[in-house]
Amino acid sequence: MTDAATAPLAVVVTASDRAATGTYDDRSGPLLVEGLRALGLRVDDAVVVPDGAPVERELRRAVDAGAALVVTTGGTGLGPRDLTPEATLAVVDRPVPGIAEALRADAVRRGVPAGVLSRGVAGVAGRTLVVNVAGSTGAARDAIEVLSAVLPHALSQLAGGDHPG
């Protein structure tokens, strides 16, 4: 996208009770960080928080810090503590359903039928794109590929750049 000093800021938030307490190593967050850096974004290490309300707080913090992109990993399933979509919907102003749909369709195309169980959402909060990704390493790797095709255009639009009409 641009050089490191002027690259758009991205934040990765891992939602996991087990990773937040240290009982489980966060593996999907670092994969997303690495993938977003490879796409030319400026990204610090993943922020790891427990499921639930802490996710919403981190999303708001990233939006307030001027992040162009926030990608969450984890908390998108059917379990009672999987509340990342709800936290995201509390923060975003406008939905971008096509991104979440593309991530689920890609999972099925790759032979992961359980990908349709992800309740992940995507949307815009101010000038920040927020995208939920399932918590597996495979989902993180695959999400980078899906996002790489649309991020330059999406982030340009959010920054007020020209876009086809």
Side-chain angles (χ1 to χ4, degrees), residues 2-98:
T2 55
D3 68 52
T6 59
L9 174 64
V11 174
V12 173
V13 177
T14 298
S16 169
D17 289 337
R18 292 181 301 156
T21 60
T23 20
Y24 174 84
D25 287 335
D26 175 23
R27 295 190 338 246
S28 57
L31 282 174
L32 287 168
V33 167
E34 179 183 315
L36 294 172
R37 285 178 181 159
L39 295 177
L41 294 156
R42 191 169 29 105
V43 192
D44 289 332
D45 290 341
V47 177
V48 181
V49 297
D51 290 298
V55 176
E56 182 179 339
R57 284 194 297 275
E58 284 305 319
L59 292 176
R60 291 190 187 283
R61 185 174 292 140
V63 169
D64 290 346
L69 172 68
V70 181
V71 180
T72 69
T73 177
T76 64
L78 304 180
R81 298 271 303 144
D82 290 333
L83 300 172
T84 298
E86 288 75 15
T88 302
L89 291 171
V91 173
V92 300
D93 308 311
R94 299 178 289 152
V96 184

Side-chain angles (χ1 to χ4, degrees), residues 71-140:
V71 180
T72 69
T73 177
T76 64
L78 304 180
R81 298 271 303 144
D82 290 333
L83 300 172
T84 298
E86 288 75 15
T88 302
L89 291 171
V91 173
V92 300
D93 308 311
R94 299 178 289 152
V96 184
I99 292 175
E101 292 164 5
L103 292 170
R104 283 186 281 273
D106 183 68
V108 171
R109 183 184 65 76
R110 291 177 188 270
V112 184
V116 300
L117 297 178
S118 172
R119 298 179 316 104
V121 299
V124 174
R127 290 184 174 247
T128 303
L129 178 62
V130 181
V131 178
N132 299 158
V133 173
S136 72
T137 55

